[in-house]
Amino acid sequence: MIERRSFLISGIAFTAAAKSACATPPPPPFSLRGTREQGSLLVGKLVEPGKVMLDGKPLSVSPDGYFAFGFDYDQKAAARLTVTTTRYGLTSNNDLMPVPRTYEVQRINGLPETLVTPPPDIQKRINRENGMIVEARERDTSGIGFAEPFDWPTAGIISSVFGSQRILNGKPKAPHFGVDIAAPEGTAIHAPADGSIVLAEADFYLTGGTTVMDHGHGVFTMYIHQSALKVRVGQAMKRGDLIGLVGKKGRATGPHLHWGMNWFQMKLDPSLSTRTASPSKA
Ligand SMILES: [Zn+2]
């Protein structure tokens, strides 16, 4: 398999400041894996011990040197990654500009009106459920399940891509922050990487059977519209472990898995972090 969209930043290439002083030790080298597009996850690795900051805020670094961050789906400004080595206290600043993307416009008609514009009491329930999902993604844990490329969680056909502007029954709604994989009801969903379960709810209003998995350092994946859950909160997961079954619970017109990825609350495109461009056929 060709390694997808990898690139390496040697600190040397990026740091003008250290260039002039010939006796100074080289600036901290690190590698970054990720497509560097809007909505992509970036996985970094320090070559020697050090500290990492993104736009002035510290990122947690694993004992092996791994760290993670994302580019927002509509990010237009460069992110500044600052790496400082413990050994020499040398700092390199790297301004990383996300490659812009053009997103699709998707019109879906014929949805029950109560799903498109829920009545106030239902909206309260939706807000509460969304709050639980947001809370699940607040933790910054030490796992490094994010460090290796992800597998597709289920077999099937991509029926909706990340970032599409959605017009539901003629009303503009939030973009589609995930990848839909159409598959027969009951198709197995497997963990795409190591991690742990931080939310498992069988019947949310919009999202049906909903599972959130923590892969460490703020990287989360989410599984929506499941007909059955096969995990509970707190469960440790290995790549390939069964998460649940494909369904059409919640706001769905047919059976599919909505697969989401986040860096904390930032919504990312999981299809940019997979080993292969598309899932195998169901
Ligand atoms: Zn979806």
Side-chain angles (χ1 to χ4, degrees):
M1 188 64 59
I2 306 156
E3 201 185 348
R4 297 177 70 206
R5 309 159 179 139
S6 292
F7 59 97
L8 181 82
I9 294 183
S10 92
I12 298 156
F14 267 79
T15 309
K19 238 187 241 169
S20 52
C22 52
T24 332
F30 61 95
S31 64
L32 271 185
R33 188 168 49 72
T35 68
R36 251 168 127 171
E37 290 164 84
Q38 291 175 335
S40 65
L41 172 70
L42 289 103
V43 175
K45 190 170 193 298
L46 298 183
V47 173
E48 59 174 279
K51 290 194 170 72
V52 181
M53 291 202 293
L54 185 75
D55 295 325
K57 293 191 191 99
L59 296 184
S60 58
V61 179
S62 79
D64 291 339
Y66 286 108
F67 60 93
F69 63 97
F71 283 141
D72 219 344
Y73 85 106
D74 60 352
Q75 186 170 330
K76 289 173 188 75
R80 170 158 284 200
L81 194 70
T82 305
V83 178
T84 306
T85 51
T86 306
R87 191 157 49 137
Y88 301 117
L90 280 175
T91 293
S92 79
N93 283 309
N94 308 274
D95 290 328
L96 307 170
M97 185 60 122
V99 176
R101 293 172 70 180
T102 307
Y103 297 110
E104 289 179 10
V105 175
Q106 193 178 36
R107 290 182 170 78
I108 302 172
N109 293 313
L111 285 168
E113 230 8 78
T114 48
L115 283 175
V116 176
T117 310
D121 57 323
I122 297 289
Q123 190 59 51
K124 258 170 98 175
R125 177 182 163 190
I126 293 169
N127 293 348
R128 191 178 66 240
E129 292 171 352
N130 284 345
M132 291 171 71
I133 294 170
V134 166
E135 203 184 320
R137 295 190 300 228
E138 268 165 7
R139 61 203 84 197
D140 185 355
T141 60
S142 61
I144 52 162
F146 67 90
E148 294 294 321
F150 286 65
D151 292 323
W152 285 90
T154 193
I157 290 171
I158 296 174
S159 56
S160 182
V161 295
F162 177 89
S164 310
Q165 176 63 57
R166 288 222 146 157
I167 300 172
L168 307 182
N169 292 0
K171 297 186 187 73
K173 292 282 171 181
H176 181 241
F177 289 124
V179 175
D180 287 350
I181 307 161
E185 188 145 11
T187 304
I189 301 165
H190 297 283
D194 294 356
S196 65
I197 304 298
V198 289
L199 182 137
E201 291 286 336
D203 198 16
F204 273 179
Y205 184 79
L206 288 180
T207 58
T210 304
T211 303
V212 178
M213 200 173 160
D214 176 8
H215 303 284
H217 294 232
V219 180
F220 297 89
T221 52
M222 181 155 75
Y223 306 83
I224 286 176
H225 305 309
Q226 294 171 88
S227 61
L229 308 186
K230 301 292 182 186
V231 291
R232 47 191 165 65
V233 170
Q235 192 171 330
M237 303 287 286
K238 284 281 172 206
R239 181 187 291 262
D241 285 352
L242 185 64
I243 292 176
L245 305 179
V246 170
K248 54 177 182 188
K249 282 170 89 175
R251 190 170 72 191
T253 48
H256 71 277
L257 171 66
H258 171 108
W259 186 29
M261 177 180 275
N262 280 69
W263 180 59
F264 298 106
Q265 307 308 335
M266 184 187 282
K267 290 152 174 101
L268 303 177
D269 182 349
S271 73
L272 300 178
S273 292
T274 51
R275 288 183 201 278
T276 58
S278 37
S280 58
K281 302 254 162 66

